[in-house]
Amino acid sequence: MKTELHQYTVAAVTKGFVYNELEAKGLFGLDGDLVIQPEYQRHYIYGDGKKDVAVIESLLKGYPLGLIYFVDTGAQSAPHLEVLDGQQRITSVGRFVTGKFAIERDGREQTFSSLPAEDRDRIMDSDLLVYICSGTEAEIKEWFQTINIAGIPLAPQELRNAIYSGPFVTAAKARFSNSQSALQQKWAAYVNGDPRRQGVLEVALEWVAAPQGLSIDGYMAAHRQDTGIRELQTYFDTVIEWVSSIFTAPPHRTMRGLEWGRLYETYHHRSYRSGDMTEQMTDLLDDPAVNNEKGVYEYLLGGGTDTRLLDVRLFDPATKKEAYKRQTDAAKKKDISNCPLCAVGTNANKSRIYTLKEMEADHVTAWSNRGSTNLANCEMLCQSHNRAKGNR
């Protein structure tokens, strides 16, 4: 790959600057000859009132913005250049000089147009050092990964988008990475991820790839040149609709970020009564004995048998100690074992008094049958009998 150092002013780079407010990305600069955000680039994430402002303040103080890299695409007509590294900084400057945000100067908010002339000139006359690179696609992508060592590192899916850029990524980002889409609010109830950092797209790809025995990378490589995303979109929508049709109450916060794709593959062949499932879900989420609220959904989908998913609260030491004392005192008076099951047996343990360490607490009425985890429902059993019981 070849690189050649150039020097541009901010005025030159931001000439003809176009910014897509809906998708939060800068589109063009250098009077239409520069693509500021190629499809392999992540969306604009500096617009937080801090990082974007810091870029402008650096220019006003005369500080360099660091090296920027453009790619010469070899195109026969404009645009000829694409930003390889530096699009967050360029977009911040472009947004400021076109009046998209303000900074504070001398205690007052100032847009670019309201700054004194000398400050406007200082910004527009600032020099940007730019390496223009040319080479094969593989070389460009490898360099893109190499220079991603400063600022805010690329998220894994942002990097995948760069590696597998093409019509499939373009279509997938349009569907899953538009933070302004009304669908994002619905999806956010089940998917944990920032669409601007490609988190929603990553989940959608993971869901559709896993049943095929593929990694996300494998799926993206196989579909890189696809012009549509029908399979990806359909599968994602199907999973979301399946979940919301079973648990019909307003989504609970614990639903966000679960492995809904895996759960769909495991359980979607079963039938459920949504009213019963929703009622049981609500009861379990309100039950103080349930320590793992996120396990409620798989517990119910699996038939309500695997209580390990719920991490049910155990009897505390004080309760166990009190139950042990109560049982032991009563057993000694009757000259029988303090384990109720040993006491009704026929072997030598029928009169054995176990130490507290040799016994375990058990629910008299099983927790799964709505038994409480309190002293009134606590029974101490010897370890052998307790571990031989089924539904505890």
Side-chain angles (χ1 to χ4, degrees):
M1 186 178 73
K2 298 179 180 179
T3 59
E4 185 176 328
L5 184 62
H6 290 253
Q7 189 167 297
Y8 295 93
T9 63
V10 165
V13 171
T14 59
K15 185 177 181 181
F17 177 81
V18 176
Y19 179 74
N20 187 330
E21 197 75 49
L22 190 63
E23 295 186 21
K25 64 181 182 180
L27 298 179
F28 300 105
L30 275 179
D31 203 17
D33 201 32
L34 174 68
V35 178
I36 295 176
Q37 191 186 82
E39 287 305 326
Y40 57 80
Q41 288 274 15
R42 61 174 156 208
H43 284 190
Y44 180 61
I45 61 173
Y46 268 26
D48 59 358
K50 295 179 181 179
K51 299 182 186 69
D52 49 1
V53 169
V55 169
I56 305 307
E57 289 179 343
S58 294
L59 292 176
L60 287 170
K61 293 175 181 177
Y63 298 160
L65 292 186
L67 290 173
I68 291 172
Y69 294 84
F70 293 168
V71 173
D72 185 345
T73 64
Q76 297 301 309
S77 59
H80 302 91
L81 302 173
E82 295 180 347
V83 175
L84 182 65
D85 184 64
Q87 67 108 342
Q88 301 290 332
R89 287 165 284 170
I90 292 174
T91 303
S92 294
V93 175
R95 290 182 70 242
F96 182 69
V97 301
T98 54
K100 298 296 191 300
F101 69 95
I103 63 172
E104 187 174 303
R105 296 283 285 175
D106 300 323
R108 294 182 178 180
E109 278 200 353
Q110 299 275 13
T111 62
F112 177 76
S113 61
S114 66
L115 287 173
E118 59 269 24
D119 286 343
R120 296 199 301 271
D121 291 343
R122 184 176 293 111
I123 291 173
M124 300 302 280
D125 293 340
S126 295
D127 289 322
L128 303 176
L129 295 179
V130 178
Y131 274 109
I132 295 183
C133 312
S134 58
T136 65
E137 181 188 22
E139 290 174 329
I140 296 299
K141 298 296 176 60
E142 182 179 1
W143 185 239
F144 177 71
Q145 295 180 57
T146 301
I147 61 179
N148 180 46
I149 57 176
I152 301 175
L154 292 174
Q157 189 56 42
E158 290 174 327
L159 195 54
R160 292 189 195 101
N161 288 352
I163 296 170
Y164 304 109
S165 63
F168 179 79
V169 167
T170 300
K173 287 176 66 177
R175 173 70 176 179
F176 294 102
S177 304
N178 183 357
S179 61
Q180 302 300 313
S181 170
L183 290 169
Q184 293 293 345
Q185 184 175 359
K186 177 181 179 180
W187 296 342
Y190 308 101
V191 176
N192 187 22
D194 183 349
R196 295 175 303 170
R197 301 301 306 273
Q198 309 307 308
V200 178
L201 175 56
E202 182 175 42
V203 171
L205 287 165
E206 182 181 17
W207 287 359
V208 75
Q212 301 179 35
L214 296 173
S215 65
I216 294 177
D217 289 79
Y219 188 88
M220 293 184 72
H223 295 272
R224 182 176 183 181
Q225 299 305 324
D226 291 1
T227 56
I229 57 166
R230 182 175 180 179
E231 181 183 59
L232 174 65
Q233 180 176 331
T234 300
Y235 191 89
F236 182 83
D237 290 346
T238 298
V239 173
I240 296 295
E241 292 304 318
W242 174 75
V243 179
S244 59
S245 68
I246 294 173
F247 302 105
T248 56
H252 191 268
R253 55 176 174 75
T254 53
M255 298 179 112
R256 191 172 194 222
L258 293 182
E259 297 176 283
W260 291 116
R262 176 183 65 81
L263 295 176
Y264 172 78
E265 285 297 319
T266 305
Y267 299 109
H268 80 274
H269 298 294
R270 301 188 185 187
S271 63
Y272 300 97
R273 292 186 176 183
S274 59
D276 292 345
M277 294 290 281
T278 302
E279 182 180 357
Q280 292 176 63
M281 175 198 75
T282 303
D283 289 345
L284 288 170
L285 292 173
D286 289 339
D287 192 330
V290 175
N291 285 325
N292 181 26
E293 292 181 326
K294 284 185 171 290
V296 163
Y297 310 97
E298 185 166 9
Y299 171 76
L300 292 174
L301 291 168
T305 57
D306 190 356
T307 56
R308 293 172 299 178
L309 292 165
L310 304 177
D311 187 20
V312 178
R313 181 171 63 87
L314 302 177
F315 293 99
D316 59 54
T319 299
K320 289 189 285 188
K321 187 175 181 179
E322 179 61 27
Y324 173 81
K325 182 179 184 304
R326 179 185 63 190
Q327 287 179 211
T328 302
D329 289 346
K332 286 180 178 179
K333 290 179 181 179
K334 297 178 181 180
D335 196 26
I336 59 175
S337 175
N338 58 349
C339 170
L341 298 183
C342 287
V344 297
T346 59
N347 60 26
N349 289 332
K350 66 181 302 181
S351 60
R352 177 178 172 179
I353 299 298
Y354 293 91
T355 65
L356 177 59
K357 290 184 178 180
E358 295 174 317
M359 304 187 82
E360 294 175 342
D362 181 54
H363 290 81
V364 178
T365 300
W367 175 86
S368 58
N369 291 328
R370 298 183 179 273
S372 300
T373 306
N374 56 26
L375 179 60
N377 196 42
C378 180
E379 180 178 61
M380 301 299 291
L381 300 178
C382 69
Q383 293 178 358
S384 297
H385 276 120
N386 190 53
R387 295 174 187 182
K389 288 190 65 175
N391 190 11
R392 293 189 287 170

